[in-house]
Coordinates of all heavy atoms in Angstrom, one line a residue:
Chain A
R10 N -9.4 18.0 -5.5 CA -10.7 18.4 -5.2 C -11.7 17.3 -5.4 O -12.6 17.1 -4.6 CB -11.1 19.6 -6.1 CG -12.5 20.1 -5.9 CD -12.7 21.5 -5.3 NE -12.2 21.7 -4.0 CZ -12.3 22.8 -3.3 NH1 -12.8 23.9 -3.9 NH2 -11.8 22.9 -2.1
I41 N -17.3 24.8 -1.4 CA -17.8 25.4 -2.6 C -19.3 25.3 -2.5 O -19.8 24.6 -1.6 CB -17.3 24.8 -3.9 CG1 -17.9 23.4 -4.1 CG2 -15.8 24.8 -3.9 CD1 -17.3 22.8 -5.4
S42 N -20.0 25.8 -3.4 CA -21.5 25.8 -3.2 C -22.2 25.1 -4.4 O -21.9 25.4 -5.6 CB -22.0 27.2 -3.0 OG -22.9 27.2 -1.9
G45 N -21.3 24.2 -8.2 CA -19.9 24.1 -8.4 C -19.4 22.7 -8.6 O -18.4 22.4 -9.3
R48 N -18.6 21.1 -12.1 CA -17.3 21.2 -12.8 C -16.5 19.9 -12.7 O -15.5 19.7 -13.4 CB -16.5 22.4 -12.2 CG -17.1 23.7 -12.3 CD -17.1 24.2 -13.8 NE -18.1 25.3 -13.9 CZ -18.4 25.8 -15.1 NH1 -18.0 25.2 -16.2 NH2 -19.3 26.8 -15.2
H49 N -16.9 19.1 -11.7 CA -16.1 17.9 -11.4 C -16.8 16.6 -11.7 O -16.2 15.5 -11.9 CB -15.6 17.9 -10.0 CG -14.9 19.1 -9.6 ND1 -13.5 19.2 -9.8 CD2 -15.3 20.3 -9.0 CE1 -13.1 20.4 -9.4 NE2 -14.2 21.1 -8.9
Chain F
dG7 P -9.9 22.6 -12.7 OP1 -8.9 22.0 -11.7 OP2 -10.8 21.7 -13.4 O5' -10.8 23.7 -11.9 C5' -10.1 24.6 -11.2 C4' -11.2 25.6 -10.6 O4' -11.7 26.4 -11.7 C3' -12.4 25.0 -9.9 O3' -12.6 25.6 -8.7 C2' -13.5 25.2 -10.9 C1' -13.1 26.5 -11.5 N9 -13.7 26.9 -12.7 C8 -14.1 26.1 -13.8 N7 -14.7 26.8 -14.7 C5 -14.8 28.1 -14.3 C6 -15.3 29.2 -14.9 O6 -15.9 29.3 -16.0 N1 -15.1 30.4 -14.1 C2 -14.5 30.4 -12.8 N2 -14.4 31.5 -12.2 N3 -14.0 29.3 -12.3 C4 -14.2 28.2 -13.0
dG8 P -13.2 24.8 -7.5 OP1 -12.1 24.4 -6.6 OP2 -14.1 23.7 -8.0 O5' -14.2 25.8 -6.7 C5' -15.4 26.2 -7.3 C4' -15.5 27.7 -7.4 O4' -15.1 28.0 -8.8 C3' -16.9 28.3 -7.2 O3' -17.1 28.6 -5.9 C2' -16.8 29.6 -8.1 C1' -15.9 29.2 -9.2 N9 -16.6 28.8 -10.5 C8 -16.6 27.5 -11.0 N7 -17.3 27.5 -12.1 C5 -17.8 28.8 -12.3 C6 -18.5 29.3 -13.4 O6 -19.0 28.8 -14.4 N1 -18.8 30.7 -13.2 C2 -18.3 31.4 -12.1 N2 -18.6 32.7 -12.1 N3 -17.6 30.9 -11.1 C4 -17.3 29.6 -11.3
dT9 P -18.5 28.6 -5.3 OP1 -18.4 28.8 -3.8 OP2 -19.2 27.4 -5.8 O5' -19.2 29.9 -5.9 C5' -18.7 31.2 -5.6 C4' -19.4 32.2 -6.4 O4' -19.2 32.0 -7.8 C3' -20.9 32.2 -6.2 O3' -21.3 33.0 -5.2 C2' -21.5 32.6 -7.5 C1' -20.4 32.3 -8.5 N1 -20.7 31.2 -9.5 C2 -21.4 31.4 -10.6 O2 -21.8 32.5 -10.9 N3 -21.6 30.3 -11.4 C4 -21.2 29.0 -11.1 O4 -21.4 28.1 -11.9 C5 -20.4 28.8 -9.9 C7 -19.9 27.5 -9.5 C6 -20.2 29.9 -9.1
dT10 P -22.7 32.8 -4.5 OP1 -22.7 33.6 -3.2 OP2 -22.9 31.3 -4.4 O5' -23.8 33.4 -5.5 C5' -23.6 34.7 -5.9 C4' -24.7 35.0 -7.0 O4' -24.5 34.2 -8.2 C3' -26.2 34.8 -6.5 O3' -27.0 35.8 -7.0 C2' -26.5 33.4 -7.2 C1' -25.7 33.4 -8.4 N1 -25.3 32.1 -8.9 C2 -25.6 31.7 -10.2 O2 -26.3 32.4 -11.0 N3 -25.2 30.5 -10.5 C4 -24.5 29.6 -9.8 O4 -24.1 28.5 -10.2 C5 -24.2 30.1 -8.4 C7 -23.4 29.2 -7.5 C6 -24.6 31.3 -8.1
dA11 P -28.5 35.8 -6.6 OP1 -28.9 37.2 -6.5 OP2 -28.8 34.8 -5.6 O5' -29.2 35.3 -8.0 C5' -28.7 35.8 -9.3 C4' -29.7 35.4 -10.4 O4' -29.3 34.1 -10.9 C3' -31.2 35.2 -9.9 O3' -32.0 35.6 -11.0 C2' -31.3 33.7 -9.6 C1' -30.3 33.1 -10.6 N9 -29.6 31.9 -10.2 C8 -29.1 31.7 -8.9 N7 -28.5 30.5 -8.8 C5 -28.7 29.9 -10.1 C6 -28.3 28.6 -10.6 N6 -27.7 27.7 -9.9 N1 -28.7 28.4 -11.9 C2 -29.3 29.3 -12.6 N3 -29.7 30.5 -12.2 C4 -29.4 30.8 -10.9
dA12 P -33.6 35.6 -10.9 OP1 -34.1 36.7 -11.8 OP2 -33.9 35.5 -9.5 O5' -33.9 34.2 -11.7 C5' -33.3 33.9 -12.9 C4' -33.7 32.5 -13.3 O4' -32.8 31.5 -12.6 C3' -35.1 32.1 -12.9 O3' -35.7 31.5 -14.0 C2' -34.9 31.2 -11.7 C1' -33.6 30.5 -12.2 N9 -32.9 29.8 -11.1 C8 -32.7 30.2 -9.8 N7 -32.0 29.4 -9.1 C5 -31.8 28.3 -9.9 C6 -31.1 27.1 -9.8 N6 -30.5 26.7 -8.6 N1 -31.0 26.2 -10.9 C2 -31.6 26.6 -12.0 N3 -32.3 27.8 -12.3 C4 -32.3 28.6 -11.2

Side-chain angles (χ1 to χ4, degrees):
Chain A
R10 176 112 299 177
I41 71 182
S42 227
R48 300 287 166 194
H49 304 276

